Amino acid sequence: ITICDGGNATFTAISDGGVGSPQFQWQYKDPDSGWEDIFGATLSTFNTGPLSEGDYVYRVTVSQVSGCDVASDSIDIAVLGDPQASIVSDVTEVCSGGSVNFTSTVTGGTGTTNYQWQFSVDNVSFGNLTNATNNTLTVNPPGLGTYYYRLLVSQVSGCRDTSNVIPITQVN
């Protein structure tokens, strides 16, 4: 399983066969000391809670009153770092008919990065700019006033980030 930094995973154990009611105990594999019980994790469903970047291994043990005990296969979780996106523009004020060039920098994360530039008139509600899916953007603001631009990046892992916002003012 692969998730992004701050994500969590939920697992459900299904016990089939044996005699008596199953008792569940979820475990985490400590790299130094091996399998350790997770305190309070005794239901058939377990949620990891938010995980930070790194690798994690979990399993569940199932016990029955008849003395039958079994451990599940381990579940490996790779928690990937989120990408970090930032943008700069060549100007912050432009005359009517002029253009603004934006460039982006994306660091961290894993896999191919997808780009979607966004635009707002109020710096609150942003919408996607049509055909603006490269790491750079050149725009002509739509009229007099101040407009806000930002970049949304996502990666094939599902991790994402939203860049800083740059206000651009068009004057006469």
Side-chain angles (χ1 to χ4, degrees):
I1 298 173
T2 302
I3 62 176
C4 302
D5 190 20
N8 64 72
T10 300
F11 309 112
T12 301
I14 299 172
S15 176
D16 187 25
V19 177
S21 297
Q23 302 297 312
F24 301 96
Q25 177 60 62
W26 290 91
Q27 297 180 322
Y28 164 76
K29 188 171 187 180
D30 183 282
D32 298 322
S33 58
W35 291 106
E36 296 182 5
D37 290 349
I38 301 169
F39 180 76
T42 57
L43 301 175
S44 61
T45 299
F46 170 69
N47 182 285
T48 63
L51 297 172
S52 56
E53 189 174 351
D55 295 313
Y56 300 84
V57 183
Y58 294 92
R59 75 176 182 185
V60 65
T61 59
V62 181
S63 303
Q64 293 178 312
V65 293
S66 61
C68 297
D69 298 325
V70 66
S72 70
D73 290 338
S74 62
I75 304 164
D76 297 329
I77 301 176
V79 181
L80 304 176
D82 290 326
Q84 301 297 313
S86 63
I87 61 172
V88 295
S89 64
D90 60 346
V91 295
T92 57
E93 190 172 279
V94 63
C95 293
S96 180
S99 62
V100 180
N101 298 300
F102 294 92
T103 57
S104 67
T105 301
V106 177
T107 59
T110 302
T112 303
T113 300
N114 299 305
Y115 302 88
Q116 179 59 65
W117 290 90
Q118 297 184 320
F119 166 85
S120 173
V121 296
D122 61 8
N123 200 22
V124 175
S125 299
F126 283 82
N128 292 341
L129 289 168
T130 305
N131 298 320
T133 55
N134 294 313
N135 63 337
T136 61
L137 175 70
T138 299
V139 294
N140 299 35
L144 296 178
T146 300
Y147 304 95
Y148 303 88
Y149 295 86
R150 71 181 186 184
L151 176 64
L152 175 66
V153 296
S154 61
Q155 295 176 329
V156 293
S157 61
C159 301
R160 56 187 9 190
D161 188 40
T162 303
S163 75
N164 54 302
V165 174
I166 296 181
I168 301 296
T169 301
Q170 179 175 315
V171 296
N172 271 341

